[in-house]
Amino acid sequence: MKVAFVVNAREKERYVEQAVRGALSQTYQCEVLLSDQGSKDKTFSLMRDMADVYTDQVGIHKIRLLQCPVVGPYGMRAMNTHMAWLVQQTDADFLFQSSADDFSLPDRVKVCMEAVAEHPCSAVATTMWFANPGDTDLKSVSGYPTESGYVSPGEGLKNLAFGSTIAGYRRDFLLQVCESVGANTPDVFFGFLASLMDGFYVVAEPHHVHQTVADSQNTGFQGKLRAAEGNMALKVAECNHYQLGRLYQSLAREVQRLQIKIKEEDWIALMDMIIGQAFAWSDARTVLHEKE
């Protein structure tokens, strides 16, 4: 099957070269899409220079350098809009993605596509290493799952499988759901829905490195939380609980919109996540106001 490997970037000059090297190192032939979304730093020029060098070397991948015309304010919604635009730029059967501050190891796509050949699915993932930027000694790896196989929707939510693995998605699946993700965390949003449709299959081998960046300008909340101190840390934590509550509510609405059949235990797991984050958000707000 045809595979596209996407590196989508915005204001990531510090990390983007490593992400691009990870894409170009893949041992499975890919259409590599290097896409910038209105960066004002050197992100685009660095990707362009690497693409030129690789093209001169005549590697196995076809590279396309893109500039996403849909920008919007920096944040999760703009990132998801960027990804939805990229889905329209390729006819690949599967799309694999790497954030510009992370990087994939050479066999990520290969082991995933070997799994797809035996286990049809809407999404195929591997576990990940977690490391601080610059670390070469990889020690911390995804906690769930520990064995290869399909992850059920409820277990995926309860055990945080969708956010602690790195997935590639079937393009026809993304076409159904990527316009609905909004400002939600895409790995959990897409992962849960994929598990309900044709399955979310995980190869329990780490083939990607998630860098635990501490940056107040990070798109996701984990980077903001690592960088925040004092009262700002409380504000970010409170906002994070609100975002998670909204994510799970959006999933419930999307299940209804798509008229997906869902088992009772999976629906209960989703409701538990909604209720749990509602309480967590309320408690975090109470602490925040007490501090203020």
Side-chain angles (χ1 to χ4, degrees):
M1 287 188 278
K2 183 177 179 180
V3 167
F5 193 107
V6 175
V7 176
N8 54 305
R10 186 171 178 180
E11 313 290 354
K12 288 290 189 292
E13 68 176 15
R14 179 181 173 188
Y15 306 105
V16 71
E17 290 177 293
Q18 196 168 28
V20 173
R21 281 195 293 271
L24 298 178
S25 74
Q26 294 305 302
T27 54
Y28 188 103
Q29 187 176 23
C30 301
E31 176 187 40
V32 176
L33 307 181
L34 306 180
S35 184
D36 179 67
Q37 191 184 34
S39 294
K40 294 180 174 61
D41 61 8
K42 297 179 181 178
T43 298
F44 181 73
S45 62
L46 289 170
M47 292 197 299
R48 181 188 58 213
D49 292 347
M50 294 184 75
D52 288 345
V53 170
Y54 185 84
T55 300
D56 290 342
Q57 294 173 344
V58 193
I60 66 169
H61 308 299
K62 175 185 177 182
I63 301 183
R64 293 172 58 201
L65 193 66
L66 303 171
Q67 289 181 289
C68 177
V70 187
V71 181
Y74 188 92
M76 192 71 75
R77 186 179 297 276
M79 185 190 75
N80 289 335
T81 301
H82 189 180
M83 192 63 194
W85 178 79
L86 282 165
V87 173
Q88 302 292 339
Q89 309 309 307
T90 180
D91 61 355
D93 300 295
F94 265 83
L95 277 80
F96 290 80
Q97 178 264 352
S98 174
S99 297
D101 52 8
D102 298 330
F103 62 96
S104 291
L105 301 177
D107 285 337
R108 177 188 165 196
V109 174
K110 175 177 176 288
V111 299
C112 284
M113 295 312 294
E114 287 173 351
V116 168
E118 296 186 21
H119 308 282
C121 53
S122 293
V124 58
T126 72
T127 50
M128 298 191 291
W129 295 106
F130 294 83
N132 294 322
D135 282 357
T136 56
D137 187 12
L138 302 177
K139 295 179 180 179
S140 179
V141 70
S142 307
Y144 184 89
T146 57
E147 296 182 1
S148 299
Y150 291 101
V151 173
S152 73
E155 289 299 310
L157 286 182
K158 290 189 294 184
N159 293 302
L160 307 181
F162 304 128
S164 63
T165 57
I166 180 74
Y169 301 95
R170 231 172 50 203
R171 182 172 180 270
D172 57 0
F173 163 76
L174 289 175
L175 288 171
Q176 294 182 71
V177 300
C178 64
E179 295 294 341
S180 302
V181 64
N184 291 304
T185 306
D187 48 9
V188 180
F189 189 88
F190 294 150
F192 181 77
L193 295 173
S195 67
L196 283 171
M197 298 176 80
D198 290 323
F200 186 94
Y201 189 87
V202 178
V203 179
E205 301 171 8
H207 287 279
H208 184 79
V209 178
H210 174 74
Q211 300 200 98
T212 52
V213 174
D215 185 351
S216 62
Q217 299 303 311
N218 196 273
T219 304
F221 272 95
Q222 289 303 313
K224 291 184 174 74
L225 282 168
R226 295 185 193 101
E229 297 179 356
N231 203 51
M232 182 54 66
L234 295 175
K235 290 183 178 181
V236 174
E238 181 267 336
C239 194
N240 185 41
H241 286 303
Y242 171 78
Q243 185 205 40
L244 287 170
R246 182 185 63 189
L247 162 67
Y248 299 128
Q249 291 180 57
S250 297
L251 283 173
R253 286 193 290 267
E254 191 69 359
V255 167
Q256 294 172 324
R257 182 186 76 84
L258 294 170
Q259 299 182 331
I260 303 173
K261 292 183 179 179
I262 182 169
K263 294 179 180 178
E264 183 178 5
E265 60 264 31
D266 296 322
W267 186 254
I268 290 172
L270 179 56
M271 292 303 106
D272 284 346
M273 299 301 280
I274 293 172
I275 294 168
Q277 289 305 321
F279 278 108
W281 176 59
S282 177
D283 291 345
R285 285 189 66 79
T286 299
V287 171
L288 178 61
H289 288 301
E290 287 176 350
K291 292 288 184 182
E292 290 185 334

